[in-house]
Amino acid sequence: MAVLQNLLPFLLIFVIFYFLLIRPQQKRQRERNNMLSALQKGDQVITIGGIHGTITDLTESTVTLRVSATTQITFERSAISSVKSTKEETPAKS
Protein backbone atom coordinates (compact mmCIF):
# COMPACT_ATOMS: atom_id res chain seq x y z
CA MET A 1 0.00 0.00 0.00
CA ALA A 2 2.86 2.39 0.81
CA VAL A 3 4.45 1.70 -2.58
CA LEU A 4 1.20 2.66 -4.33
CA GLN A 5 1.03 5.90 -2.36
CA ASN A 6 4.61 6.72 -3.38
CA LEU A 7 3.99 5.98 -7.08
CA LEU A 8 0.61 7.72 -7.32
CA PRO A 9 2.02 11.27 -7.70
CA PHE A 10 4.37 10.12 -10.49
CA LEU A 11 1.54 8.36 -12.31
CA LEU A 12 -0.64 11.44 -11.96
CA ILE A 13 2.13 13.64 -13.39
CA PHE A 14 2.60 11.25 -16.34
CA VAL A 15 -1.15 11.26 -17.09
CA ILE A 16 -1.22 15.07 -17.00
CA PHE A 17 1.81 15.28 -19.31
CA TYR A 18 0.22 12.81 -21.70
CA PHE A 19 -3.04 14.72 -22.06
CA LEU A 20 -1.53 18.22 -22.07
CA LEU A 21 1.65 17.70 -24.10
CA ILE A 22 2.12 14.34 -25.81
CA ARG A 23 -1.35 13.71 -27.23
CA PRO A 24 -1.86 17.21 -28.77
CA GLN A 25 1.62 17.07 -30.33
CA GLN A 26 0.86 13.69 -31.91
CA LYS A 27 -2.40 15.08 -33.30
CA ARG A 28 -0.64 18.11 -34.83
CA GLN A 29 2.03 15.84 -36.36
CA ARG A 30 -0.61 13.55 -37.86
CA GLU A 31 -2.46 16.55 -39.38
CA ARG A 32 0.81 17.93 -40.83
CA ASN A 33 1.71 14.56 -42.38
CA ASN A 34 -1.76 14.34 -43.94
CA MET A 35 -1.41 17.87 -45.35
CA LEU A 36 2.02 17.11 -46.83
CA SER A 37 0.85 13.86 -48.40
CA ALA A 38 -2.21 15.56 -49.94
CA LEU A 39 -0.21 18.20 -51.83
CA GLN A 40 -1.01 18.43 -55.54
CA LYS A 41 0.16 20.43 -58.54
CA GLY A 42 -1.61 23.77 -58.64
CA ASP A 43 -1.97 24.13 -54.85
CA GLN A 44 -1.01 27.54 -53.49
CA VAL A 45 1.24 27.07 -50.46
CA ILE A 46 3.33 29.00 -47.95
CA THR A 47 6.78 27.73 -46.95
CA ILE A 48 8.24 27.82 -43.46
CA GLY A 49 10.31 30.81 -44.60
CA GLY A 50 7.19 32.71 -45.66
CA ILE A 51 7.53 32.31 -49.43
CA HIS A 52 4.19 32.11 -51.24
CA GLY A 53 3.98 30.07 -54.41
CA THR A 54 2.08 27.62 -56.58
CA ILE A 55 3.21 24.00 -56.86
CA THR A 56 4.40 23.16 -60.38
CA ASP A 57 6.15 19.84 -59.72
CA LEU A 58 6.13 17.23 -56.93
CA THR A 59 8.35 14.30 -56.07
CA GLU A 60 8.48 12.11 -52.96
CA SER A 61 10.83 14.53 -51.20
CA THR A 62 10.79 17.83 -53.12
CA VAL A 63 8.32 20.46 -54.24
CA THR A 64 8.93 23.01 -57.01
CA LEU A 65 7.11 26.32 -56.52
CA ARG A 66 6.42 29.06 -59.06
CA VAL A 67 6.87 32.27 -57.10
CA SER A 68 6.68 34.67 -60.06
CA ALA A 69 6.16 34.46 -63.79
CA THR A 70 9.80 33.53 -64.39
CA THR A 71 11.03 32.15 -61.07
CA GLN A 72 10.73 28.59 -59.81
CA ILE A 73 12.27 27.39 -56.55
CA THR A 74 12.69 23.81 -55.35
CA PHE A 75 12.10 23.02 -51.66
CA GLU A 76 12.02 19.93 -49.52
CA ARG A 77 8.45 18.78 -49.03
CA SER A 78 8.86 19.27 -45.27
CA ALA A 79 9.48 23.02 -45.86
CA ILE A 80 5.81 23.55 -46.71
CA SER A 81 4.11 25.24 -43.77
CA SER A 82 0.52 25.50 -44.97
CA VAL A 83 -1.75 25.30 -47.99
CA LYS A 84 -3.51 28.58 -48.89
CA SER A 85 -5.80 27.06 -51.48
CA THR A 86 -6.04 24.00 -53.63
CA LYS A 87 -6.47 24.06 -57.38
CA GLU A 88 -10.17 23.13 -56.99
CA GLU A 89 -10.72 26.22 -54.81
CA THR A 90 -8.84 28.58 -57.15
CA PRO A 91 -11.29 30.65 -59.21
CA ALA A 92 -10.93 30.39 -63.00
CA LYS A 93 -9.52 33.45 -64.72
CA SER A 94 -11.59 34.89 -67.55
Side-chain angles (χ1 to χ4, degrees):
M1 189 68 172
V3 174
L4 183 61
Q5 288 176 345
N6 289 337
L7 289 179
L8 189 61
F10 293 111
L11 291 174
L12 185 62
I13 289 172
F14 177 75
V15 169
I16 290 171
F17 268 95
Y18 178 76
F19 282 107
L20 292 180
L21 297 174
I22 298 170
R23 192 167 172 236
Q25 178 62 30
Q26 288 175 341
K27 182 179 177 185
R28 281 192 298 272
Q29 187 65 36
R30 194 176 321 115
E31 290 171 354
R32 178 167 168 71
N33 288 340
N34 289 341
M35 182 265 304
L36 290 176
S37 65
L39 291 175
Q40 299 176 353
K41 288 183 181 180
D43 289 351
Q44 293 182 351
V45 297
I46 303 172
T47 66
I48 292 172
I51 297 174
H52 295 239
T54 303
I55 296 176
T56 58
D57 189 34
L58 284 168
T59 66
E60 287 294 320
S61 61
T62 62
V63 175
T64 302
L65 297 182
R66 185 181 71 242
V67 294
S68 72
T70 59
T71 307
Q72 291 190 354
I73 305 174
T74 302
F75 291 94
E76 291 294 317
R77 194 179 272 245
S78 61
I80 302 299
S81 172
S82 62
V83 177
K84 279 195 326 188
S85 65
T86 61
K87 62 182 175 182
E88 291 85 24
E89 296 173 356
T90 305
K93 293 183 179 180
S94 304

